[in-house]
């Protein structure tokens, strides 16, 4: 980021079911933290809101914005497009926020290649068996979808070298504490 920005960029990734979303939900409670709202071409899930969880775009609109250079990074995941919008990030960093991107590993690779400065955190499951068990318990995906996510997870785990910190999620509360500590957010108000 340029030296004029007062905030900090944080990148959080992890295979589907590793606990990344629960970690991010906890971080969202902190007023120093703001989350990037990505654009995506995937369908909205029940309970999601346009502009809050994602900006839900048509394939054509996504391509138009990509051609216009509106994305800091973009990726295809499970047949759908995802991308981080540049505008809101610059704005949040100028306001001194800890700005969090919750993205998958192809996007992280692009940020690393472009030398984007930040704290890169990878949340991983204790094992592939445990990951499968969690996805099955969650019950939000079909058996075929679970197999697809496990295949993607196996590939993603090979990219842990892109990250500054790899956090093994044995137990959620401890994992949340660990991520807060890494980000300097352990004590409310101290980092500002
Ligand atoms: P989901 O469809 O389950 O919400 O997200 C699928 C994957 O895409 C997750 O790993 C999520 O972190 C990632 N993702 C969400 N937004 C972005 C984005 O803007 N860029 C990239 N590269 N990945 C994203």
């Amino acid at each position: 980021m340029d030296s004029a920005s007062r905030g900090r960029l944080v990148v959080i990734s992890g295979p589907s079911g590793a606990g990344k979303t629960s970690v991010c939900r906890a971080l969202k409670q902190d007023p120093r933290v703001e989350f990037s709202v990505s654009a995506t071409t995937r369908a909205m899930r029940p309970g999601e809101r346009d502009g809050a969880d994602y900006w839900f775009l048509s394939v054509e609109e996504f391509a138009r914005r990509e051609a216009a250079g509106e994305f800091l990074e973009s990726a295809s995941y499970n047949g759908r497009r995802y991308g981080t919008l540049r505008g809101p990030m610059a704005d949040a960093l100028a306001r001194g926020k800890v700005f969090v991107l919750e993205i998958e590993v192809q996007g992280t690779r692009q940020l690393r290649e472009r030398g984007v400065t930040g704290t890169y955190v990878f949340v991983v499951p204790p094992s592939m068996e445990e990951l499968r068990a969690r996805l099955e318990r969650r019950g939000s995906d079909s058996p075929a979808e679970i197999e697809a996510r496990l295949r993607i997870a196996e590939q993603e785990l090979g990219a842990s070298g892109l990250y500054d910190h790899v956090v093994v999620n044995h137990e959620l509360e401890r994992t949340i504490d660990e991520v807060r500590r890494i980000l300097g957010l352990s004590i409310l108000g101290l980092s500002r």
Side-chain angles (χ1 to χ4, degrees):
M1 293 297 96
D2 67 79
S3 53
S5 27
R6 298 159 53 229
R8 287 187 286 134
L9 184 71
V10 171
V11 175
I12 300 187
S13 307
S16 177
K20 173 189 54 170
T21 304
S22 305
V23 170
C24 289
R25 199 174 295 136
L27 293 178
K28 279 178 185 154
Q29 309 302 316
D30 192 311
R32 295 165 290 185
V33 176
E34 207 166 289
F35 272 72
S36 170
V37 178
S38 293
T40 184
T41 63
R42 81 148 163 74
M44 203 186 288
R45 294 182 188 140
E48 286 184 330
R49 283 185 303 129
D50 192 33
D53 299 286
Y54 283 103
W55 296 103
F56 294 94
L57 305 183
S58 65
V59 173
E60 294 74 24
E61 178 65 8
F62 192 100
R64 190 191 67 72
R65 290 185 181 224
E66 190 167 40
E70 288 186 28
F71 295 125
L72 177 70
E73 59 75 34
S74 62
S76 295
Y77 177 94
N78 223 358
R80 305 293 177 186
R81 304 302 317 279
Y82 295 82
T84 302
L85 290 159
R86 291 176 189 275
M89 182 174 94
D91 176 61
L93 293 178
R95 283 184 285 111
K97 293 288 177 181
V98 174
F99 194 67
V100 182
L101 311 184
E102 187 184 341
I103 63 175
E104 51 67 72
V105 299
Q106 301 167 59
T108 306
R109 194 166 284 122
Q110 291 170 37
L111 297 182
R112 286 300 203 190
E113 281 166 7
R114 290 172 202 166
V116 175
T117 310
T119 308
Y120 291 66
V121 180
F122 201 39
V123 179
V124 301
S127 66
M128 286 302 288
E129 294 71 44
E130 178 58 24
L131 187 63
R132 176 186 290 279
R134 287 182 192 175
L135 288 171
E136 286 172 357
R137 268 202 304 277
R138 187 162 85 178
S140 55
D141 302 301
S142 66
E145 179 80 4
I146 289 177
E147 293 311 319
R149 284 181 186 263
L150 286 170
R151 271 197 303 278
I152 295 171
E154 244 165 12
Q155 287 168 16
E156 288 191 325
L157 288 170
S160 62
L162 290 170
Y163 296 84
D164 303 308
H165 305 272
V166 176
V167 180
V168 182
N169 181 21
H170 292 284
E171 199 263 308
L172 186 60
E173 284 311 311
R174 270 176 39 217
T175 303
I176 290 169
D177 284 348
E178 170 81 358
V179 173
R180 282 200 179 114
R181 193 189 57 70
I182 289 167
L183 302 183
L185 295 169
S186 296
I187 299 171
L188 203 66
L190 202 69
S191 74
R192 291 294 310 275

